C-alpha cells in the first residue's frame, strides 16, 4: 500500500539569510514559484501528481521485443566519459583531499570503480553559484574558503579560492576539467584571473572546457546585483556578455584556435516555471544572435534537478516516477535536435544534476534505493534521447551525494545509495571504445521501463527498471512485474544482475547491493563481492525468456 502522498510544498522564508542570499547553496527562489512553495511540476500535473506514477495493472506477462539489430531511433554512440562528476567549489577540497592534506583514496577508488567499467576518464566540473560569485585570492593558503562541511552551507558572494585549489587536480592525474569562471561579476578581469591561474597550474592539455557563468538565467541572486554583479539576462544581453568574456579569456591565454568554451549552463526550472526549461536563454535564438560566430563553443550545457524538495513520504511520486522524468527531459529535445541538425559537432550535456533541491539534506528521500533507481532511469532515458554526458553534483551538505568523503559534523564517512546507480549504468554502457547505442523499449507497463544497448549492430544488454513503490512492511511478499522478453535467435543465454535491497524503496546505501556487491567506507571504496547471492542466469527457450522484476528494483541482462 502506498503511503498517503500529501505534501505540497515548502515555505520559502526558511531558505534565506536575513540578507536575502540563499542559505542552501544558491538555489534562488526564481527557479520557479518561489523556490519551494508550490510543488514539483507544471500546474497541468497539479504539482507532483503526475499521471501514471503508480504503474499499471500487471495481469498477465507483458511482452518486450528486443530488436535483432540497432534500430534507427537509437541514440548516437555513447561516450565512455558519459558519467562525469561535479563538485560545489569549496566541496571539491574534501572530496579529493583528506583533512591531513593527503589524497582522498576513498573518493578516488569510488570514481575509478565507475569509470573502469566504461574505459572512460573522469570529467570533473567544480563550480556552482558559489564559484560564479566567488573570488580568486593569490595569497590564500587554503584551497577554498569557507571550508565545506555537512552543516556548513555555501556562502554566495563570500567564497574564495587560492593557488592551492588548482593543485588539487594533481591528485587525480587521469581527470580532465571543466573550469567554471565567474561571469556574475561585471569585472571581466576576475574571470580572466581564474582562467589564467587554472591554465598555468593544471595545464591546457587537462582542461576540457572553460565555462563562463553559472545559471545566468537566474541573475541576479539575492541582493548581489548591479553595479558589481550582473542584472537579469535576456537572450541579447547573455550573448553580448558571454562573447565579451570569451574574447577576453582567449586573448589573455592566447588559446589555440579551436573550440574551448561551454555555454549556457542554465538552471533547472521547477514548479509553475517548469516550461521555461524549453525557452529561457534559447539555444537557437542565441546562435542566431551570434554567440558562436567565431566557433568558440565546444558544448552546450544545462542543469537538472527533479524536484524542488521532498521528504520520506514523497519518494514515490517525487522520484520514482518515469512520466515526470521523461516530461522534464523531453523539454530539452528541441535544443538537442537543433544542435544535431545545425551544429552536429557540438554536444548537449547536463553539467550539474541532483535529485532534489532540498534546502538541507533529507536522506530518507534523497539517499534511498528509490533515489538510486531514479538515477538509473534518468541516465538511461537521457542517454536514449541524445544527451552526450552528465556531471553528477556533489556538495558536502546536500542529501543527493553519492558518498560523503570525510567525517563531518556527526556523520561518518560513507557510501550513499545513489552511488549504486553508477556501476549499473556503467555496465549498461560497457567498455567497448564508445560503440554502444541505446534505445528505450516498450514494456506495456507503466513505470516499468526497459532500455536496450547495441554494439556492432547487435543487442548486448537490456536494463529493466521497476519504479513501482514498495517498502518492507507493505506486504508479506514483494510484488513483481512479469515480462516476456523476445530475443534474437542467436541469443541462447541471459545473465542477470540485480540492483536492490530487501528493505525496499526507502533502503539506505548500507542495505543495498548491485550484482551482489557493495562499496563501503570499510573497504576504502573498493568493491566487496558476494555480499548477496542474487545474480542468476536464464536459458532462452523458443526465442524468449520469462523475467520477473520486483517492485523498487532494477535488473541488467547480459545477452549472449
Amino acid at each position: 500500500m502506498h503511503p498517503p502522498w500529501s505534501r505540497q510544498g515548502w515555505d520559502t522564508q526558511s531558505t534565506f539569510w536575513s540578507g536575502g542570499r540563499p542559505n542552501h547553496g544558491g538555489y534562488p527562489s526564481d527557479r520557479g514559484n518561489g523556490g519551494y512553495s508550490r510543488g514539483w511540476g507544471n500546474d497541468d500535473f497539479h504539482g507532483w501528481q503526475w499521471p501514471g506514477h503508480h504503474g499499471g495493472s500487471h495481469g498477465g506477462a507483458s511482452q518486450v521485443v528486443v530488436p535483432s539489430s540497432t534500430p534507427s531511433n537509437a541514440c548516437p554512440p555513447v561516450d565512455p566519459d558519459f558519467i562525469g562528476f561535479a563538485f560545489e567549489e569549496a566541496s571539491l577540497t574534501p572530496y579529493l583531499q583528506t583533512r591531513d592534506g593527503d589524497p582522498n583514496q576513498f573518493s578516488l577508488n569510488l570514481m575509478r570503480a565507475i569509470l573502469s567499467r566504461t574505459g572512460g576518464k573522469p570529467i570533473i566540473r567544480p563550480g556552482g553559484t558559489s564559484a560564479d560569485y566567488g573570488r580568486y585570492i593569490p595569497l590564500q593558503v587554503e584551497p577554498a574558503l569557507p571550508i565545506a562541511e555537512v552543516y556548513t552551507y555555501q556562502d554566495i558572494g563570500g567564497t574564495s579560492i587560492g593557488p592551492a585549489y588548482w593543485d588539487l587536480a594533481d591528485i587525480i592525474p587521469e581527470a580532465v576539467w571543466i573550469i567554471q569562471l565567474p561571469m556574475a561579476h561585471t569585472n571581466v578581469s576576475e574571470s580572466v584571473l581564474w582562467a589564467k591561474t587554472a591554465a598555468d597550474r593544471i595545464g591546457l592539455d587537462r582542461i576540457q572546457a572553460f565555462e563562463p557563468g553559472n545559471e545566468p538565467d537566474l541573475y541576479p541572486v539575492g541582493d548581489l546585483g548591479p553595479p558589481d554583479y550582473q542584472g537579469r539576462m535576456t537572450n541579447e544581453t547573455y550573448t553580448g556578455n558571454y562573447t565579451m568574456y570569451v574574447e577576453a579569456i582567449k586573448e589573455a591565454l592566447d588559446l589555440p584556435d579551436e573550440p574551448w568554451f561551454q555555454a549556457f549552463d542554465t538552471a533547472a526550472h521547477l514548479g509553475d516555471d517548469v516550461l521555461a526549461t524549453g525557452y529561457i536563454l534559447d539555444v537557437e535564438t542565441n546562435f542566431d544572435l551570434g554567440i558562436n560566430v567565431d566557433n568558440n563553443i565546444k558544448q552546450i550545457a544545462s542543469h537538472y534537478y527533479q524536484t524542488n524538495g521532498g521528504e520520506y513520504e514523497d519518494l514515490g511520486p517525487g522520484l520514482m516516477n518515469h512520466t515526470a522524468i521523461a516530461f522534464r527531459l523531453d523539454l530539452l529535445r528541441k535544443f538537442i535536435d537543433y544542435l544535431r541538425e545545425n551544429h552536429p559537432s557540438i554536444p548537449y550535456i547536463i553539467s550539474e544534476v541532483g535529485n532534489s533541491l532540498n534546502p538541507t539534506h533529507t536522506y530518507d528521500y534523497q539517499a534511498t534505493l528509490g533515489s538510486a533507481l531514479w538515477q538509473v532511469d534518468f541516465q538511461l532515458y537521457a542517454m536514449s534521447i541524445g544527451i552526450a554526458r552528465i556531471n553528477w553534483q556533489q556538495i558536502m551538505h546536500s542529501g543527493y551525494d553519492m558518498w560523503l568523503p570525510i567525517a563531518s559534523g556527526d556523520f561518518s564517512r560513507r557510501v550513499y545509495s545513489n552511488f549504486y546507480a553508477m556501476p549499473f549504468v556503467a555496465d549498461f554502457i560497457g567498455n567497448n571504445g564508445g560503440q554502444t547505442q541505446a534505445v528505450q523499449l516498450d514494456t506495456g507497463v507503466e513505470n516499468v521501463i526497459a532500455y536496450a544497448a547495441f554494439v556492432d549492430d547487435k543487442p548486448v544488454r537490456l536494463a529493466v527498471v521497476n519504479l513501482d513503490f514498495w517498502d518492507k512492511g507493505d506486504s508479506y511478499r514483494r510484488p513483481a512485474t512479469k515480462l516476456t522478453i523476445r530475443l534474437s535467435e542467436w541469443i541462447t543465454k541471459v545473465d542477470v544482475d540485480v540492483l536492490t535491497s530487501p528493505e525496499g524503496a526507502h533502503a539506505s546505501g548500507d542495505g543495498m547491493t548491485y550484482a551482489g556487491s557493495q562499496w563501503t567506507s570499510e573497504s576504502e571504496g573498493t568493491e566487496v563481492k558476494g555480499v548477496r547471492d542474487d545474480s542468476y542466469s536464464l536459458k532462452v527457450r523458443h526465442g524468449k525468456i520469462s523475467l520477473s522484476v520486483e517492485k523498487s528494483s532494477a535488473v541488467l541482462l547480459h545477452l549472449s
Side-chain angles (χ1 to χ4, degrees):
M1 179 177 177
H2 289 268
W5 311 117
S6 59
R7 188 168 180 82
Q8 291 288 338
W10 284 260
D11 179 3
T12 61
Q13 299 306 310
S14 64
T15 68
F16 284 85
W17 296 115
S18 59
R21 300 177 188 174
N23 70 3
H24 45 78
Y27 307 140
S29 61
D30 50 353
R31 281 182 184 272
N33 245 359
Y36 305 96
S37 61
R38 286 285 302 279
W40 302 333
N42 183 286
D43 267 359
D44 291 343
F45 296 98
H46 310 292
W48 48 259
Q49 296 175 0
W50 303 79
H53 69 76
H54 290 298
S57 174
H58 297 168
S62 295
Q63 290 198 22
V64 178
V65 179
V66 179
S68 59
S69 60
T70 308
S72 60
N73 63 333
C75 72
V78 179
D79 192 332
D81 306 336
F82 178 83
I83 298 172
F85 304 93
F87 300 92
E88 180 274 325
E89 194 75 8
S91 294
L92 178 68
T93 305
Y95 272 93
L96 290 187
Q97 186 173 272
T98 67
R99 293 194 190 277
D100 295 330
D102 297 323
N104 191 322
Q105 198 61 47
F106 176 60
S107 285
L108 297 178
N109 288 341
L110 288 168
M111 285 191 274
R112 289 165 179 162
I114 297 168
L115 289 170
S116 63
R117 296 167 182 262
T118 69
K121 61 184 176 298
I123 299 180
I124 299 176
R125 173 197 179 257
T129 307
S130 58
D132 207 15
Y133 289 83
R135 297 192 181 278
Y136 183 89
I137 300 178
L139 297 180
Q140 180 172 302
V141 175
E142 288 286 344
L145 291 172
I147 293 172
E149 303 283 0
V150 165
Y151 293 111
T152 301
Y153 303 105
Q154 302 155 58
D155 186 358
I156 309 305
T159 297
S160 61
I161 63 171
Y165 190 80
W166 305 128
D167 295 341
L168 294 171
D170 294 338
I171 293 172
I172 182 164
E174 70 267 34
V176 296
W177 297 79
I178 298 172
I179 303 298
Q180 187 191 307
L181 309 172
M183 197 175 80
H185 295 272
T186 52
N187 183 357
V188 181
S189 62
E190 183 71 36
S191 190
V192 169
L193 180 61
W194 285 51
K196 282 182 64 68
T197 53
D200 289 345
R201 299 186 83 98
I202 297 175
L204 279 177
D205 60 327
R206 295 185 59 209
I207 293 178
Q208 195 269 341
F210 291 104
E211 175 204 326
N214 175 80
E215 301 182 352
D217 48 324
L218 296 187
Y219 291 166
V221 170
D223 58 357
L224 299 177
D228 295 328
Y229 300 96
Q230 302 280 5
R232 185 170 294 275
M233 289 279 178
T234 64
N235 287 310
E236 290 78 9
T237 57
Y238 174 67
T239 284
N241 277 278
Y242 179 87
T243 52
M244 178 178 67
Y245 279 67
V246 164
E247 290 303 323
I249 293 159
K250 283 177 61 180
E251 181 178 352
L253 273 64
D254 192 23
L255 290 174
D257 189 19
E258 59 187 84
W260 280 95
F261 293 89
Q262 181 169 301
F264 293 89
D265 281 272
T266 46
H269 290 265
L270 299 164
D272 290 345
D273 197 38
V274 65
L275 295 180
T277 302
Y279 63 79
I280 291 290
L281 297 188
D282 180 71
V283 173
E284 182 175 0
T285 300
N286 281 272
F287 269 72
D288 289 344
L289 288 167
I291 195 169
N292 195 39
V293 67
D294 292 324
N295 296 314
N296 292 317
I297 293 179
K298 186 173 187 177
Q299 57 214 25
I300 302 297
S302 63
H303 299 172
Y304 188 103
Y305 292 86
Q306 189 66 45
T307 63
N308 267 334
E311 295 187 2
Y312 180 92
E313 66 270 21
D314 304 316
L315 180 59
L319 296 179
M320 300 177 68
N321 182 344
H322 176 73
T323 301
I325 294 167
F327 173 83
R328 289 278 313 288
L329 282 170
D330 282 348
L331 294 173
L332 304 176
R333 281 181 182 258
K334 61 176 288 191
F335 305 140
I336 298 166
D337 292 344
Y338 168 77
L339 292 172
R340 187 178 296 168
E341 293 168 10
N342 298 277
H343 305 277
S345 64
I346 299 177
Y348 193 94
I349 71 171
I350 297 179
S351 61
E352 179 185 314
V353 63
N355 59 46
S356 181
L357 286 170
N358 290 43
T360 59
H361 40 259
T362 309
Y363 293 117
D364 57 8
Y365 174 75
Q366 295 178 289
T368 60
L369 171 59
S371 64
L373 295 173
W374 167 83
Q375 203 154 309
V376 170
D377 189 41
F378 170 83
Q379 288 183 90
L380 296 183
Y381 189 77
M383 182 190 303
S384 75
I385 67 171
I387 288 171
R389 294 192 310 276
I390 297 173
N391 295 89
W392 286 91
Q393 181 80 338
Q394 306 225 82
I395 310 178
M396 282 290 289
H397 71 72
S398 78
Y400 51 71
D401 292 333
M402 292 181 280
W403 66 92
L404 185 66
I406 59 173
S408 179
D410 53 359
F411 285 85
S412 59
R413 186 180 76 167
R414 64 191 65 190
V415 179
Y416 290 115
S417 66
N418 299 320
F419 173 83
Y420 284 79
M422 298 321 212
F424 184 105
V425 172
D427 280 347
F428 178 87
I429 296 169
N431 190 345
N432 52 46
Q435 298 181 60
T436 301
Q437 293 180 263
V439 69
Q440 183 183 357
L441 302 179
D442 183 21
T443 66
V445 184
E446 290 180 353
N447 232 24
V448 177
I449 314 95
Y451 302 90
F454 295 82
V455 176
D456 292 332
D457 206 32
K458 291 182 179 180
V460 293
R461 285 174 289 279
L462 179 71
V464 182
V465 187
N466 190 336
L467 290 176
D468 275 355
F469 183 93
W470 181 86
D471 260 342
K472 187 177 181 180
D474 285 354
S475 58
Y476 176 69
R477 289 187 177 180
R478 189 173 189 165
T481 296
K482 295 182 179 180
L483 299 171
T484 297
I485 312 294
R486 294 200 169 273
L487 299 165
S488 304
E489 59 182 19
W490 62 268
I491 298 171
T492 59
K493 184 184 176 186
V494 176
D495 295 318
V496 184
D497 291 324
V498 185
L499 172 61
T500 191
S501 169
E503 300 300 313
H506 277 105
S508 58
D510 57 4
M512 289 173 55
T513 53
Y514 163 61
S517 294
Q518 286 190 329
W519 292 259
T520 67
S521 175
E522 292 74 19
S523 72
E524 199 65 23
T526 61
E527 183 175 3
V528 181
K529 297 183 178 181
V531 176
R532 187 171 291 126
D533 184 18
D534 59 1
S535 295
Y536 59 96
S537 297
L538 294 171
K539 193 169 184 178
V540 181
R541 298 182 184 277
H542 307 295
K544 63 184 179 181
I545 59 171
S546 294
L547 179 71
S548 291
V549 186
E550 291 182 332
K551 287 188 174 185
S552 301
S553 73
V555 295
L556 183 60
L557 282 61
H558 304 266
L559 312 178
S560 60

PDB file of all heavy atoms in Angstrom, residues 121-137:
ATOM      1  N   LYS A 121      37.403   8.439 -18.847  1.00  0.00           N
ATOM      2  CA  LYS A 121      38.203   9.255 -17.933  1.00  0.00           C
ATOM      3  C   LYS A 121      37.261  10.177 -17.171  1.00  0.00           C
ATOM      4  O   LYS A 121      36.198  10.554 -17.675  1.00  0.00           O
ATOM      5  CB  LYS A 121      39.235  10.078 -18.705  1.00  0.00           C
ATOM      6  CG  LYS A 121      38.631  11.055 -19.698  1.00  0.00           C
ATOM      7  CD  LYS A 121      39.688  11.771 -20.512  1.00  0.00           C
ATOM      8  CE  LYS A 121      39.060  12.680 -21.573  1.00  0.00           C
ATOM      9  NZ  LYS A 121      38.251  11.929 -22.566  1.00  0.00           N
ATOM     10  N   PRO A 122      37.615  10.574 -15.954  1.00  0.00           N
ATOM     11  CA  PRO A 122      36.755  11.500 -15.218  1.00  0.00           C
ATOM     12  C   PRO A 122      36.784  12.895 -15.844  1.00  0.00           C
ATOM     13  O   PRO A 122      37.859  13.451 -16.082  1.00  0.00           O
ATOM     14  CB  PRO A 122      37.376  11.528 -13.815  1.00  0.00           C
ATOM     15  CG  PRO A 122      38.346  10.392 -13.770  1.00  0.00           C
ATOM     16  CD  PRO A 122      38.780  10.150 -15.177  1.00  0.00           C
ATOM     17  N   ILE A 123      35.608  13.419 -16.146  1.00  0.00           N
ATOM     18  CA  ILE A 123      35.473  14.834 -16.499  1.00  0.00           C
ATOM     19  C   ILE A 123      34.855  15.509 -15.281  1.00  0.00           C
ATOM     20  O   ILE A 123      33.723  15.199 -14.901  1.00  0.00           O
ATOM     21  CB  ILE A 123      34.614  15.045 -17.749  1.00  0.00           C
ATOM     22  CG1 ILE A 123      35.247  14.345 -18.956  1.00  0.00           C
ATOM     23  CG2 ILE A 123      34.453  16.539 -18.034  1.00  0.00           C
ATOM     24  CD1 ILE A 123      34.460  14.508 -20.247  1.00  0.00           C
ATOM     25  N   ILE A 124      35.606  16.401 -14.662  1.00  0.00           N
ATOM     26  CA  ILE A 124      35.216  16.980 -13.379  1.00  0.00           C
ATOM     27  C   ILE A 124      34.923  18.465 -13.555  1.00  0.00           C
ATOM     28  O   ILE A 124      35.733  19.204 -14.121  1.00  0.00           O
ATOM     29  CB  ILE A 124      36.322  16.775 -12.325  1.00  0.00           C
ATOM     30  CG1 ILE A 124      36.560  15.275 -12.103  1.00  0.00           C
ATOM     31  CG2 ILE A 124      35.950  17.458 -11.012  1.00  0.00           C
ATOM     32  CD1 ILE A 124      37.701  14.965 -11.152  1.00  0.00           C
ATOM     33  N   ARG A 125      33.766  18.877 -13.058  1.00  0.00           N
ATOM     34  CA  ARG A 125      33.371  20.285 -13.106  1.00  0.00           C
ATOM     35  C   ARG A 125      33.204  20.814 -11.683  1.00  0.00           C
ATOM     36  O   ARG A 125      32.203  20.555 -11.030  1.00  0.00           O
ATOM     37  CB  ARG A 125      32.053  20.457 -13.857  1.00  0.00           C
ATOM     38  CG  ARG A 125      31.498  21.891 -13.799  1.00  0.00           C
ATOM     39  CD  ARG A 125      30.029  21.918 -14.177  1.00  0.00           C
ATOM     40  NE  ARG A 125      29.465  23.259 -14.113  1.00  0.00           N
ATOM     41  CZ  ARG A 125      28.683  23.714 -13.127  1.00  0.00           C
ATOM     42  NH1 ARG A 125      28.387  22.937 -12.099  1.00  0.00           N
ATOM     43  NH2 ARG A 125      28.196  24.942 -13.164  1.00  0.00           N
ATOM     44  N   PRO A 126      34.175  21.570 -11.162  1.00  0.00           N
ATOM     45  CA  PRO A 126      33.945  22.275  -9.904  1.00  0.00           C
ATOM     46  C   PRO A 126      33.246  23.598 -10.189  1.00  0.00           C
ATOM     47  O   PRO A 126      33.482  24.227 -11.224  1.00  0.00           O
ATOM     48  CB  PRO A 126      35.356  22.495  -9.355  1.00  0.00           C
ATOM     49  CG  PRO A 126      36.230  22.532 -10.569  1.00  0.00           C
ATOM     50  CD  PRO A 126      35.548  21.720 -11.643  1.00  0.00           C
ATOM     51  N   GLY A 127      32.377  24.023  -9.285  1.00  0.00           N
ATOM     52  CA  GLY A 127      31.725  25.304  -9.536  1.00  0.00           C
ATOM     53  C   GLY A 127      30.396  25.426  -8.840  1.00  0.00           C
ATOM     54  O   GLY A 127      30.211  24.975  -7.718  1.00  0.00           O
ATOM     55  N   GLY A 128      29.441  26.036  -9.532  1.00  0.00           N
ATOM     56  CA  GLY A 128      28.142  26.337  -8.965  1.00  0.00           C
ATOM     57  C   GLY A 128      27.996  27.826  -8.710  1.00  0.00           C
ATOM     58  O   GLY A 128      28.865  28.641  -9.057  1.00  0.00           O
ATOM     59  N   THR A 129      26.899  28.185  -8.078  1.00  0.00           N
ATOM     60  CA  THR A 129      26.642  29.592  -7.795  1.00  0.00           C
ATOM     61  C   THR A 129      27.715  30.183  -6.897  1.00  0.00           C
ATOM     62  O   THR A 129      28.099  31.347  -7.039  1.00  0.00           O
ATOM     63  CB  THR A 129      25.253  29.752  -7.150  1.00  0.00           C
ATOM     64  OG1 THR A 129      24.280  29.107  -7.978  1.00  0.00           O
ATOM     65  CG2 THR A 129      24.877  31.215  -6.999  1.00  0.00           C
ATOM     66  N   SER A 130      28.229  29.381  -5.966  1.00  0.00           N
ATOM     67  CA  SER A 130      29.275  29.881  -5.067  1.00  0.00           C
ATOM     68  C   SER A 130      30.507  30.305  -5.850  1.00  0.00           C
ATOM     69  O   SER A 130      31.173  31.290  -5.505  1.00  0.00           O
ATOM     70  CB  SER A 130      29.643  28.810  -4.039  1.00  0.00           C
ATOM     71  OG  SER A 130      30.083  27.622  -4.669  1.00  0.00           O
ATOM     72  N   ALA A 131      30.842  29.586  -6.919  1.00  0.00           N
ATOM     73  CA  ALA A 131      32.003  29.945  -7.738  1.00  0.00           C
ATOM     74  C   ALA A 131      31.717  31.151  -8.617  1.00  0.00           C
ATOM     75  O   ALA A 131      32.598  31.996  -8.838  1.00  0.00           O
ATOM     76  CB  ALA A 131      32.421  28.761  -8.600  1.00  0.00           C
ATOM     77  N   ASP A 132      30.498  31.240  -9.134  1.00  0.00           N
ATOM     78  CA  ASP A 132      30.173  32.339 -10.043  1.00  0.00           C
ATOM     79  C   ASP A 132      30.287  33.687  -9.340  1.00  0.00           C
ATOM     80  O   ASP A 132      30.624  34.697  -9.963  1.00  0.00           O
ATOM     81  CB  ASP A 132      28.762  32.143 -10.597  1.00  0.00           C
ATOM     82  CG  ASP A 132      28.569  32.792 -11.956  1.00  0.00           C
ATOM     83  OD1 ASP A 132      29.578  33.151 -12.596  1.00  0.00           O
ATOM     84  OD2 ASP A 132      27.411  32.926 -12.386  1.00  0.00           O
ATOM     85  N   TYR A 133      30.005  33.708  -8.043  1.00  0.00           N
ATOM     86  CA  TYR A 133      30.120  34.937  -7.258  1.00  0.00           C
ATOM     87  C   TYR A 133      31.382  34.925  -6.388  1.00  0.00           C
ATOM     88  O   TYR A 133      31.519  35.739  -5.478  1.00  0.00           O
ATOM     89  CB  TYR A 133      28.876  35.111  -6.380  1.00  0.00           C
ATOM     90  CG  TYR A 133      27.639  35.463  -7.168  1.00  0.00           C
ATOM     91  CD1 TYR A 133      26.878  34.472  -7.790  1.00  0.00           C
ATOM     92  CD2 TYR A 133      27.233  36.781  -7.320  1.00  0.00           C
ATOM     93  CE1 TYR A 133      25.748  34.784  -8.526  1.00  0.00           C
ATOM     94  CE2 TYR A 133      26.101  37.111  -8.053  1.00  0.00           C
ATOM     95  CZ  TYR A 133      25.368  36.109  -8.656  1.00  0.00           C
ATOM     96  OH  TYR A 133      24.245  36.432  -9.388  1.00  0.00           O
ATOM     97  N   GLY A 134      32.286  33.987  -6.662  1.00  0.00           N
ATOM     98  CA  GLY A 134      33.486  33.841  -5.847  1.00  0.00           C
ATOM     99  C   GLY A 134      34.639  34.705  -6.329  1.00  0.00           C
ATOM    100  O   GLY A 134      34.568  35.382  -7.357  1.00  0.00           O
ATOM    101  N   ARG A 135      35.745  34.633  -5.568  1.00  0.00           N
ATOM    102  CA  ARG A 135      36.935  35.423  -5.902  1.00  0.00           C
ATOM    103  C   ARG A 135      38.188  34.564  -5.763  1.00  0.00           C
ATOM    104  O   ARG A 135      38.247  33.652  -4.941  1.00  0.00           O
ATOM    105  CB  ARG A 135      37.049  36.654  -4.995  1.00  0.00           C
ATOM    106  CG  ARG A 135      35.880  37.612  -5.171  1.00  0.00           C
ATOM    107  CD  ARG A 135      36.121  38.957  -4.518  1.00  0.00           C
ATOM    108  NE  ARG A 135      34.961  39.830  -4.685  1.00  0.00           N
ATOM    109  CZ  ARG A 135      34.713  40.549  -5.770  1.00  0.00           C
ATOM    110  NH1 ARG A 135      35.556  40.504  -6.790  1.00  0.00           N
ATOM    111  NH2 ARG A 135      33.642  41.313  -5.845  1.00  0.00           N
ATOM    112  N   TYR A 136      39.176  34.892  -6.592  1.00  0.00           N
ATOM    113  CA  TYR A 136      40.496  34.259  -6.504  1.00  0.00           C
ATOM    114  C   TYR A 136      41.402  35.184  -5.704  1.00  0.00           C
ATOM    115  O   TYR A 136      41.568  36.364  -6.043  1.00  0.00           O
ATOM    116  CB  TYR A 136      41.066  34.035  -7.903  1.00  0.00           C
ATOM    117  CG  TYR A 136      42.402  33.326  -7.892  1.00  0.00           C
ATOM    118  CD1 TYR A 136      42.466  31.941  -7.920  1.00  0.00           C
ATOM    119  CD2 TYR A 136      43.597  34.045  -7.845  1.00  0.00           C
ATOM    120  CE1 TYR A 136      43.689  31.279  -7.909  1.00  0.00           C
ATOM    121  CE2 TYR A 136      44.819  33.404  -7.829  1.00  0.00           C
ATOM    122  CZ  TYR A 136      44.860  32.021  -7.858  1.00  0.00           C
ATOM    123  OH  TYR A 136      46.068  31.376  -7.839  1.00  0.00           O
ATOM    124  N   ILE A 137      41.993  34.634  -4.624  1.00  0.00           N
ATOM    125  CA  ILE A 137      42.864  35.424  -3.753  1.00  0.00           C
ATOM    126  C   ILE A 137      44.263  34.819  -3.809  1.00  0.00           C
ATOM    127  O   ILE A 137      44.499  33.727  -3.270  1.00  0.00           O
ATOM    128  CB  ILE A 137      42.321  35.449  -2.309  1.00  0.00           C
ATOM    129  CG1 ILE A 137      40.915  36.076  -2.305  1.00  0.00           C
ATOM    130  CG2 ILE A 137      43.263  36.211  -1.386  1.00  0.00           C
ATOM    131  CD1 ILE A 137      40.249  36.107  -0.951  1.00  0.00           C
TER     132      ILE A 137
END
